[in-house]
Each structure stands twice: as structure tokens, then as C-alpha cells.
Amino acid sequence: MESLTTNTDVRLTVTRCFRTLKSSTDSSDIITALRTLHSYLDEGPESTATSAERAEFRKTYYSSALQLLVSNIQADWLHQLTAAQRTELWDGLFLAGPPEQALLVLMDAIGELRPTSNLDHVVNITEKFLQRRRLAELLWSYCLEAAPSDSPQLRETLLGRISALPDITANKLQLNNRALFLPQQYYPLLATEMLTALERTCQALRAGTDCSLTFVAQTLGKVCIQGHSGSVLAVMAPRLSACTRSDMVWQRVCWKLLENVPQRWMESVLTGLVQAVSGPDALGRIIGNLVLTNKKAQFVITHKLLLLQYKYETRVLRIILGYLAADRDRRPLLIQVLRSVSQAWANSSAVKHTPLEQQLYVSKALLLSSCTLTVIAWLRASLSELLQCMLGGMQTHLDSNVVRIRRMGMVIGEYLSSRMDINGTKLKFEYDQDEETRELLSLLAPGACDEPEAELTFYHSSDDELTPYDMSGDQEISKASPPRYLRDCLEILISSEDPERVELALQAAESLVRKNSFAAREISVQMSKVLLHMDDKYNINGFLYLRQATMVALTVADCIPVTHYLTTEFYSLNYSLRQRLDILEVLALAAQELSKPVTEKKAASISSATTAESTPYPGDNPVHWRNVVEKRIQSKTKRLTKVLPATPNRYAPVAGHFFFPLLKNYDKPQVTFDLLGSDHLVLGRLIHTLGLFMHLAVNAPIAAQMGCALLDFVWAVRYHADQYVRGVLFAVCSVFLSMPSQNLLVDISDQLFETRSWLAGIKKKKKKKNLWCDILMTEKKKPNAAPAPDNCQQSVFTNTQKSFLPYWRIS
């Protein structure tokens, strides 16, 4: 009954805290809720929670609390906390509870979050998790469990996160990965944490406490099978060798550790261990008689490392064979090894088809195994069988046409004949010594088979020896900082209610779009939609300019999707005239930027961003000799003027996406938008924008189609009642100036005559207006004369007329 009451109280308190963190905006309530959650993790005398309540929270609610914090990492209340409060209350929850649950939540968050400042925050906590030796606590917590308390699936997931942490962080952070997460630093740290767990296990066993090494053994095997046995066992093997020298408890712990390694990972552990130990005695103390009780270990030690693989040094052979010969129970395996190695050496097919390096490796194994055995062991072995193998193998080697194989056969034959001592006869061959034969003969030198074990000294450092950092010049970081990632910027513009954060995000948005075009393409349409509907509710300085500049940058970065969205929304319902004018301005500015030549620096960045994956290998495209000669001539030629290199027009391929969608629905009135009716201001701006698109499309392949469509559109409004709309002269001039001359007579021959009459009428009206302007200017000189109107200047039409005058005179 008491446990039920405790569970109910904890559930109600935790639920209330979760509700506060999800919905409250009061920083004092948030801090109170975080401190309440912390109280279930504190084990000191000042803790307000009982041991039963703490156990219930750790078992049931701790993971949910961490997942809630990660899901609300973008909340405004987190950024309102001071740095000290964030470190104590937010970060502290990840560093004070059950380490296995915290590590799983942190690694899942790293895999799910986008490259933003939120990801940096989670990465910082993960780095603190490793620095504060939480991995050792994780391993030790599993050592204390007599039986597994979690599911096999959860344990397998945890093993995967621990062993593959450098891979997970490298795939996510890429070039921004932390030094502690690199394999050369992480795996030695993991080895140190496993040694700490083993040392605490030895202390617990001396105190009479039962422990389990299953999880530590699984961690060791998982890391080794992934190819990191060298860096892990390079740290563990010397320490285990030193600790097992005179401590039987350490020996039993090491034997139990190797026994608990799963069979599928045993080969990787033993392969790394024989390369990391200092000698056969150290290997015997660490693994004991594992080869007698574990078939997989026996196969690896007595067969695979000697006959199937040949990449190891001679020292590894000495360690393996010395380990088998060191104990009376293991010596029968050494005799078995001698038989199998001699048979492999004498196999004629192997001599003909295996690499010379493997034959040299087997020859070394045969010499070392034979010189390791005592005379009694030789007599116990089948002498006739060995003699038959020796004679057949020597004959096969001497018959080979490869000099290196014949020399190996001579050296082995001389030694085996002297060791068998058959009727006192010994073989003696004449051969020139080379590096291989000298290496084989060195194995037969007195004492060569007995390698003394090196003495190792371990130095333990403490925190007192570390030099403290100089923190006198540290500056306090402000509560709000500009976002460094584009997705951060988008999330702030969507969800944040903090005016300062919104302003900083809006100020940084354009530069973030232009710096990272790949990230901009992923969210270009979504961000354009947010900016188009965004209002200046915080009275931000330069709001309209900042919003417009960001939308232009998005249109340039991801032209076709953003242009399609904006042109579609131009004729949609429930948009104000201001928003429709904003769309036209953004499209016009983006088209102008795309039509401008790209500078060298900008062109390099664009080309590297768009063709990074398709860049050919330099050797696949050799420079032609004519190009080399031409470059030399150009370098020695003096020129009075420098011709600027031609650059591609980025606007020409996409001009149709800007132009034609705006002509699609202009004659379809809507409830809130009547382009040909009352909304003549938007119509005039639309005509001007279309004329600009036509002007920028000069020499483009689609210019002829655009010109025909634009003339058909403006012809219907050239006599519009509003003066602003009647200013279609710019659009007409852009058509004649941008269309190819050969297309004017073919595509718009009928419109040429009508346009000529219309332009002549405009010129006549302009002359009358200029006459009245002269009269008014004369009257202005008189005393008390009225001021002349501002629009009395000479029309620019006279200059434009000369450009297409030949087309007027068509008879």
C-alpha cells in the first residue's frame, strides 16, 4: 500500500512538472519545475525525496523527462535562463541520472536534430558526459546487476550507441566534429572506463559482493568487431598484464571477462589481444586456459592465426606458440599445431599456389613450434609422420623453380634433420643468404624462442596535477545571440515570441541563405511562405528591407520552386495589395540579380556548390599540348586593354518561370482581387515588372515567345483610363529592344503597323504637351506667374524611337 502511494505521488508531481515545461512561459515556474525534477536525482542529505521516490523516478520517468527537454530545446524559456541556470538545471539532468538512459536520449537527439545551435547544445552535453566519467558509471551499474533488468533489444541498442559513438557523431557533425569524439581519443577513453569498471569489480569481490561482467565483455567484443581492437587493447592489455602479475582476483576477473565475450566476437578480441600483450606469460595470465574450454578460441589460436592469416609479425607467432607451451594442459595443442603446420608446409599444392609471404609465415611457424617443443614432446609426437612430411615437403620445395622457395626448403630441411637426429645424419645445403634466410636462421639462435617479458610501469595522474585555465578574460554571453544555422532562423521566425530573437534572426537570414545554398534549397519555399505572411508586429527597424532581401536571396538560391510559389500566390485569394506588390518587387529584384555577371569569387562558390559531386579526376582530362603553347603565348603577349571574360546569364534559362505564370489569370476577377478593375495600381506595377523581365531576357532563346505574349497583354490596356496603367511604353520598348530582329517581321508583323500608328499618335501628343510647357515656362519668368508642372520634360520616347525606326517605315 505504501509503494502504491509513493508511485501515485511521484506520478502526480512529475506530470505537473511536465505540464509546466510544455505550456508555461513564466521563468520562475520553469525553474521550480526543473528543481523539482532534480530533487529526485539528488542523493545527499539535502534531498527532499525519499529513496523509494528516487528509485521510482529513475526507473519510470527519467527517460521521459530527458526526451521532453530535448523536444522543447527550441522553447523561449530555455533561452531566457542564464548560463549558470542552464548548466545547473537543464544540463545537470542529463549528467545526474542513470547514465544508460541519458546516453540513449543524447545519441537519439544527435541523430534527429538538424545542424543548428540546438544540436551544438546537445553535443556539448554529450562531451561533458564523457569528460565526467559517466561511461564508467554506466558499465559499473551493469556490473552490479546479478541478472539483466532490461530487454535484450534495449541492451543491444545501448551497445551499438557506445561502440559506434564516433561514427554517429562524425556522420552528423562532419567537419564540425569534436576532438573527444574522434576514434583516436574516444576508444582509449572507453578502454580506460572499462578498466575502471573492472577495478571496482575486483574491490567488490574482495568485499563479498557478487558482480557480473557480461555487459563489459559484450562492450569489449562489440568494439573489437568494429575494427577498434588495436586502440582499445593497446590501453587495456598492459594494465591487465601488470595487475594479473601477482593478484589472483584480477586473474579470475580477466578469465571471466574473456569467457563472457560472445562467440561471434571472440576472434576479434583474441586477434587484438595477441598483438597487444608483451609476451606469452602475459597472454596466459589474461586468458588462462580459454583455448581448452572455448572451441572458437581454440580454432583462432591454433589454426586461423597460424595457417589462414599471414599478416602478423614474428612476435605474434612467438607469443601464440609460447602460450601453448607454457602450461602442461595446453602442450598437447602445441603438438597438434606442429602436425598441422608441417602438413601445410609440405603440401605441394600450397607451395605452388599460395603467396610467397604466406609460405614464409608458415615456415616461421614451423621453426618456432619445433624449437619450442622439448625432446620428450618430440618423441610423443609421431616421429615417422613428421619425417614423412619433412621429406616430402623438402622435395617439393627443392623442385620449385622459385629461388626463394628452394632456399626456404633448404633452411627448414637442415634444422629438422638436426632436430630429429636420424642415425646421426644431418643435411647441409649450400645457398646464398638473403634477408629471408637470415630471418629464418635468427629464429634458431639460442634463446630466440624464449622472449623475456618486458617490465611495464604505470603512472596514475590526479586532477591536482592539471594546470587550471585562465578564465579572467571570459565574457558573459548575452541571453539572445544571432542564429548560426538557417533552420534555427526559420524556427525562430515561426514559433518564437521574443522580439529580440526575431530581430536577430531576420538580420542574419539573408547572409545565412547566401552562405549555404544547399541548406537554403531544403527550406526555400517554406521560408518564403513564412516571410511573405510575416507582419512587423515588433516594430523592427528596417523590417521591410530585411524581409525583402531574404526573399530575394531565397529566390536566387532556389529559383524555380520559389518562383513557382510566388507567381502562384500572386493570383491567390486572401492576399492584400501590399503582399501582391511585394511579390512583384521580389521577383523583379531576383531577376535583376540573376542577370548580372557573377564575380570570380562568387562564381567559384557557385560552381563548387553545384558541381562538387561531378568534378572529374584531374588525370582523366589531360591538358592538350596546344593549350599549353597557347597559354605561354598569351603570358608573353602585351595587351593595351583587358577583355573581360564572358560569364553565363543565370536568368536566361529561367526567364519563362518568372514571366508566363504572371500572365495566366490576369483576366479572371476574384472576390478580393480585380486586376482589370479597381486594382489598377497592381496592374501598372505588373506591366512594369513584365517589361523588366522582357528587358532582362535579351538574347535569351525564349525572348521571342515572351515578346509576343507581352504585346498581346499590353495591347488590351494601352487606352486604360488610369494614367499609371497607360504607361505601357516601357513594356513595348523592351519587346522591340529584346526580341531578335529576325523574329520581329515573322512573329509580330501585324502588330508592327498598329504599334507604329500608336507610337506616332503618342509622339504627336507629346509635341503638343511640350508646346504648352514652353508657354508656361515663358509665363513663369513673368512676375506672379504660376509654377510650371513637373512633367514638362522631354519624353525619352524620341531616343527610343531611333532603335526600331526601320520597322515603322515598312511599306
Side-chain angles (χ1 to χ4, degrees), residues 158-167 186-187 222-223 226 228:
L158 182 59
L159 285 173
R161 297 294 188 271
I162 294 175
S163 59
L165 187 146
D167 297 332
Y186 172 75
Y187 290 108
K222 187 77 170 181
V223 172
Q226 291 183 354
H228 305 289

Side-chain angles (χ1 to χ4, degrees), residues 623-634:
V623 181
H624 196 270
W625 65 269
R626 294 183 182 275
N627 298 335
V628 177
V629 174
E630 183 66 25
K631 289 181 179 179
R632 292 179 180 175
I633 295 174
Q634 295 293 336

Side-chain angles (χ1 to χ4, degrees), residues 444-457:
L444 306 176
C449 297
D450 301 326
E451 182 177 292
E453 187 174 344
E455 295 292 335
L456 299 175
T457 306

